Amino acid sequence: MTSALATSPIGFAHRHLLGIEGLSRFDIEALLDLSDKAVEVNRQVEKKLSTLRGRTQVNLFFEASTRTQSSFELAGKRLGADVMNMSVGSSSVKKGETLLDTAMTLHAMRPDILVVRHHSSGAVDLLARKVGCSVVNAGDGSHEHPTQALLDALTIRRHKGSFENLVVAICGDVAHSRVARSNIICLQALGARVRVIAPSTLLPTGIDRFGVEVYRDLREGIRGADVVMMLRLQRERMNGAYVPSVREYFRYFGLDAEKLALAAPDALVMHPGPMNRGVEIDSEVADGAQSVITEQVEMGVAVRMAVLEALAAHLPNA
Amino acid sequence: MPTWATPESFEPRPHAPMLFRNVRLLDPSSGTDEAGNLLVVGGEIADRGPLVGNDGLPEGAEVIEGRGRALAPGLVDMRVFVGEPGYEHRETIASASRAAAAGGVTTIVCMPDTDPVIDDVALVDFVMRLARDTAIVNVKPMAALSKRLEGREMTEFGLLTEAGAVAFTEGRRKITSARMMRRLLTYARDFDALVVHQPEDPDLAAGGVVNESEMASRLGLPGIPDEAETIMLMRDLALAGLSGGRYHAACLSCRASLPLLRIAKERGFRVTASVSVANLALNETDIGPYRTFYKLSPPLRTEDDRQALVQGIADGTIDVIVSNHDPQDAETKRQPFEESADGAIGVETLLAAALRLYHSEDVSLLRLIETMSTTPARLLGLPGGGLSRGAPADLVFFDPDAPWVVERERLCSRSKNTCFENARMQGRVERTVVAGRTVYSYDSEA
């Protein structure tokens, strides 16, 4: 049994992972290097390490998410931690407890790592200031989803080698997407050129000041892109509030083979999941040769293992 | 005597070339108002100039002697309530198109508040097919801004534009939610779609049937204050600025709206506005003894307002004149004033009524044609609105000075609710040409 992913000290000095914002290119690259090792481990028969042996990891999900929660759970378990899942349905939050009271209660239980998802932007940050352990943001409101950006970066790096002069097009509901925000920051830090593509109703105010190229036409925005990253459109935003209908959205902003043909011939197709087939992406493309969507899920576990190990390196009594 | 053509689909044969000789050519698209000839071949304007046609004509060409009468691009009426589908007893596309032809209007833009509402690709397609088979002028639908005109969910601007919708509007209805209007304008921007809205706060205007004034009080009728218009207009203009969308304020009625519009235009907002010809030709005193044919939306306002609107047309603050053609059957108008329906027909009298501003020397003839043809065509992305070579031969040939009296029973509209009954007009349409084909002619010698 291998003891840890890292064979030398990890160049990551942060106590929490609350967002990509604030991380340096070296921080990100250190995590990606570590993730590459985790991928190797995960492909072995023996996947268990001992980095987090004796540590307690609590997954606190105020917003339901099967895939992110199970990915963090698996990552923690593979590193040897004791993992407990708390979801909103079974917690005292439903009984009216405030976020800070929940934090105090959890703090008293002395976990080592807290993985938090919350529907309000900034809630994870607030919680991090009230607990003694390391906190990982598993998605807060429309703010950040750092492990998603890291797993996307890992997937891209493993296919393209480098980010220099790489054109990444992020398409869809940018306004409400924490995935988009984290990815914009992450990809730019790594040296990629980022484009965002959406109807004006789904673009956040001031997006042109994010250092990205803004397109309101998918065909134009996708032209020559090396990576096409589709975002999920929530059901409640499909029927007339932000876009008039699924069929109109699919017609102009859904990725199908015809539109994908405008991207670079070897362009990667990505999606953070879960997909709405026939809304933002056509099945032919989602399941096609250029799609790396299931690979993203695999990278997700690896990236989360790397993050947990990097944070554990700085825990008391490590 | 007047003569109308039948729908094109009944006689799909090529039309003979025609030469208008010695006419006053009015072309706002090039700023020309000069004497000359104009040759039409194959549905298009083949050539124009002082010598065109002098050295030989195409075989079978018809020659129309102008003798100084005017030839202008056919009018494009941006606000026509038709009634088909759903209210065919008021007006059909066929009857509206005959009225339009008699008025020199070569394109009518019909409103979506029909039954069913034109909020879906299939309905746009239906209207366009119906128009192809029954109309003698061009008919272009505006589609609804919101599904079922409920003001909650936006319609498919992209797909509807592809299907042939030329703009988007709620017709008589208003978008009360500022958030909804913001999203509509924001979404419209991506498709360069035009959002057309009659700015009137329905809450403030509720119950009102005439302009709020001393006259309304004397008649004992509840009024609609100017502010119902200006408050909504301010909101819309601000949101147009915020979103970058193209906005068109339909049917302004009061003086106080003009400075708001000027400021928005100076700031570079993509905004334009129209006025109904009734508000340029009439004022609230025309209502007289509770004459319901003068009950309009927006209401006829004071003479001061009317003069300001005329000035707004002359100086370019207001961009378009519309007929606001709104057929109502006798039963809905033969009611106590407060209970009767709004609206008056007007597509047939649009040009003649607008010419009053020319005869009163307030607005040039060229500017009038610009507001009723060139500008609406440009706003809606339609060909036409000019007399340049290669443009579609949609033309109105008229005598700007010929006097006539509006006789209600002679109007082509299925409904007769005109507010120009027995009015003396100066300026008569003698021939209307759509795509090189004469669809209406009036022989003044017969």
Side-chain angles (χ1 to χ4, degrees):
Chain A
M1 187 163 109
T2 333
S3 64
L5 294 171
T7 47
S8 54
I10 305 162
F12 186 84
H14 303 269
R15 182 175 161 200
H16 305 298
L17 180 66
L18 300 178
I20 299 294
E21 177 125 61
L23 298 189
S24 68
R25 178 174 187 153
F26 302 105
D27 290 330
I28 297 168
E29 283 175 346
L31 291 173
L32 297 184
D33 292 345
L34 207 54
S35 303
D36 273 327
K37 292 183 180 168
V39 174
E40 299 311 310
V41 171
N42 287 335
R43 287 179 180 177
Q44 296 167 12
V45 175
E46 172 61 63
K47 303 178 180 66
K48 196 97 170 173
L49 304 180
S50 59
T51 324
L52 294 186
R53 183 185 292 162
R55 299 289 189 190
T56 304
Q57 174 189 334
V58 176
N59 294 337
L60 180 60
F61 277 62
F62 292 93
E63 194 181 77
S65 163
T66 315
R67 58 173 60 213
T68 307
Q69 183 170 321
S70 51
S71 182
F72 269 106
E73 184 178 351
L74 211 50
K77 283 178 171 166
R78 285 186 182 166
L79 292 175
D82 294 314
V83 184
M84 183 183 74
N85 289 319
M86 278 184 72
S87 53
V88 69
S90 56
S91 81
S92 49
V93 175
K94 271 258 167 93
K95 297 171 190 161
E97 190 176 74
T98 66
L99 180 64
L100 290 183
D101 284 339
T102 308
M104 297 312 290
T105 309
L106 284 168
H107 177 71
M109 293 176 186
R110 301 197 169 276
D112 298 289
I113 294 177
L114 202 53
V115 177
V116 188
R117 165 166 293 187
H118 199 280
H119 45 82
S120 294
S121 303
V124 179
D125 193 86
L126 179 65
L127 215 134
R129 281 185 265 132
K130 301 291 172 187
V131 294
C133 60
S134 281
V135 174
V136 180
N137 182 359
D140 65 322
S142 304
H143 177 224
E144 279 232 44
H145 190 354
T147 55
Q148 179 70 44
L150 291 169
L151 77 86
D152 289 337
L154 181 66
T155 310
I156 294 169
R157 195 175 79 166
R158 288 171 68 92
H159 280 273
K160 300 291 181 187
S162 135
F163 292 92
E164 296 308 318
N165 298 318
L166 205 68
V167 176
V168 182
I170 302 176
C171 177
D173 186 0
V174 179
H176 303 96
S177 175
R178 52 191 173 222
V179 175
R181 279 174 184 68
S182 289
N183 260 309
I184 288 169
I185 303 167
C186 186
L187 291 165
Q188 291 192 137
L190 293 168
R193 279 174 57 199
V194 181
R195 298 177 185 169
V196 298
I197 310 165
S200 294
T201 43
L202 296 177
L203 284 171
T205 303
I207 184 69
D208 48 325
R209 309 259 306 158
F210 279 47
V212 295
E213 297 164 52
V214 181
Y215 292 86
R216 293 174 171 84
D217 181 325
L218 179 58
R219 289 166 194 278
E220 279 176 36
I222 207 174
R223 194 151 284 148
D226 300 298
V227 177
V228 183
M229 200 180 271
M230 302 307 293
L231 300 173
R232 178 179 166 78
L233 182 65
Q234 301 288 356
R235 291 223 163 261
E236 65 269 22
R237 306 204 173 102
M238 288 176 204
N239 298 314
Y242 291 87
V243 294
S245 66
V246 167
R247 69 174 175 183
E248 174 143 321
Y249 187 76
F250 183 70
R251 170 68 163 273
Y252 297 103
F253 293 96
L255 186 67
D256 57 17
E258 187 213 332
K259 293 185 197 117
L260 180 59
L262 299 169
D266 58 347
L268 302 179
V269 173
M270 303 178 74
H271 193 295
M275 286 183 280
N276 290 306
R277 290 171 185 263
V279 179
E280 68 263 359
I281 192 162
D282 192 40
S283 281
E284 191 190 350
V285 170
D287 305 330
Q290 288 169 261
S291 167
V292 292
I293 294 169
T294 46
E295 195 181 324
Q296 286 174 271
V297 179
E298 184 194 355
M299 295 306 120
V301 178
V303 153
R304 283 157 190 141
M305 285 168 73
V307 167
L308 294 172
E309 181 169 314
L311 293 175
H314 304 289
L315 286 173
N317 314 315
Chain B
M1 289 306 293
T3 321
W4 286 265
T6 51
E8 175 94 70
S9 51
F10 295 112
E11 41 162 343
R13 57 168 196 270
H15 307 296
M18 52 176 93
L19 178 75
F20 289 91
R21 187 148 61 194
N22 188 23
V23 288
R24 180 178 173 185
L25 292 167
L26 295 164
D27 182 10
S29 68
S30 61
T32 43
D33 178 355
E34 63 190 17
N37 304 345
L38 184 138
L39 179 67
V40 173
V41 179
E44 287 179 357
I45 294 170
D47 207 355
R48 76 171 215 220
L51 303 172
V52 166
N54 281 9
D55 40 345
L57 281 175
E59 209 182 297
E62 181 188 2
V63 177
I64 297 116
E65 294 295 345
R67 293 194 296 274
R69 283 169 292 182
L71 184 68
L75 307 190
V76 178
D77 189 344
M78 268 183 81
R79 194 169 173 91
V80 177
F81 295 90
V82 172
E84 190 169 12
Y87 308 101
E88 288 83 352
H89 61 288
R90 292 183 195 159
E91 189 86 288
T92 60
I93 285 176
S95 64
S97 82
R98 286 164 57 86
V105 175
T106 53
T107 301
I108 55 178
V109 177
C110 56
M111 297 293 107
D113 43 357
T114 46
D115 183 15
V117 170
I118 303 173
D119 61 357
D120 189 90
V121 171
L123 268 303
V124 169
D125 198 52
F126 171 77
V127 169
M128 301 208 4
R129 280 164 193 271
L130 203 60
R132 184 196 62 196
D133 293 342
T134 67
I136 57 172
V137 301
N138 305 311
V139 178
K140 301 290 178 188
M142 278 195 199
L145 283 166
S146 74
K147 290 169 189 163
R148 300 171 297 280
L149 300 174
E150 287 170 354
R152 286 201 295 270
E153 301 161 15
M154 63 172 100
T155 56
E156 298 164 317
F157 290 3
L159 298 174
L160 289 163
T161 302
E162 281 187 35
V166 292
F168 296 84
T169 184
E170 294 289 83
R172 301 170 177 85
R173 300 234 199 153
K174 318 299 182 297
I175 297 289
T176 51
S177 158
R179 185 176 61 163
M180 180 69 182
M181 183 50 99
R182 179 196 183 173
R183 287 207 185 132
L184 289 168
L185 283 164
T186 304
Y187 193 71
R189 168 196 155 142
D190 297 349
F191 296 96
D192 202 33
L194 183 68
V195 173
V196 180
H197 190 231
Q198 184 189 341
E200 184 180 85
D201 184 327
D203 214 30
L204 189 53
V209 295
V210 289
N211 179 44
E212 185 170 300
S213 67
E214 180 202 334
M215 205 203 78
S217 301
R218 289 187 185 281
L219 288 170
L221 292 173
I224 300 170
D226 289 355
E227 286 71 13
E229 179 169 303
T230 55
I231 289 172
M232 191 64 110
L233 181 64
M234 266 187 263
R235 182 202 78 170
D236 285 358
L237 295 173
L239 294 175
L242 175 65
S243 62
R246 280 208 297 148
Y247 172 80
H248 180 80
C251 295
L252 298 182
S253 69
C254 51
R255 174 184 285 271
S257 292
L258 297 172
L260 305 176
L261 199 58
R262 262 181 229 122
I263 291 167
K265 287 184 169 187
E266 278 163 17
R267 288 193 185 162
F269 298 176
R270 301 164 77 203
V271 297
T272 50
S274 70
V275 58
S276 162
V277 73
N279 293 80
L280 293 172
L282 307 167
N283 66 33
E284 60 175 359
T285 62
D286 286 297
I287 294 168
Y290 302 97
R291 287 190 292 189
T292 59
F293 283 11
Y294 295 80
K295 186 185 177 196
L296 307 175
S297 175
L300 295 173
R301 296 199 186 266
T302 66
E303 176 60 13
D304 183 51
D305 290 309
R306 188 194 72 81
Q307 286 178 10
L309 294 168
V310 171
Q311 182 56 36
I313 283 292
D315 67 21
T317 308
I318 302 178
D319 308 88
V320 173
I321 302 174
V322 295
S323 71
N324 201 19
H325 180 82
D326 190 356
Q328 296 291 339
D329 55 274
E331 290 317 304
T332 62
K333 279 289 187 185
R334 206 179 291 142
Q335 299 273 356
F337 198 91
E338 279 183 65
E339 287 151 48
S340 85
D342 290 332
I345 58 168
V347 67
E348 198 166 341
T349 46
L350 171 63
L351 178 62
L355 283 172
R356 287 182 172 184
L357 309 186
Y358 161 66
H359 292 298
S360 65
E361 297 182 358
D362 288 311
V363 185
S364 74
L365 199 49
L366 202 60
R367 172 66 188 152
L368 281 179
I369 298 299
E370 184 176 25
T371 61
M372 292 186 285
S373 177
T374 314
T375 305
R378 178 173 53 78
L379 290 177
L380 300 170
L382 298 172
L387 296 180
S388 52
R389 207 176 294 170
D394 291 351
L395 304 167
V396 53
F397 175 57
F398 65 102
D399 181 339
D401 299 313
W404 62 292
V405 175
V406 179
E407 290 167 78
R408 198 175 132 196
E409 290 314 316
R410 291 195 150 189
L411 294 172
C412 309
S413 257
R414 195 166 274 201
S415 298
K416 308 295 180 191
N417 54 312
T418 175
C419 48
F420 294 107
E421 190 176 355
N422 300 325
R424 274 134 182 89
M425 296 294 195
Q426 212 181 333
R428 184 192 269 286
V429 174
E430 303 211 347
R431 185 186 287 246
T432 305
V433 176
V434 174
R437 173 170 177 258
T438 300
V439 295
Y440 171 83
S441 59
Y442 181 87
D443 187 349
S444 48
E445 269 110 62

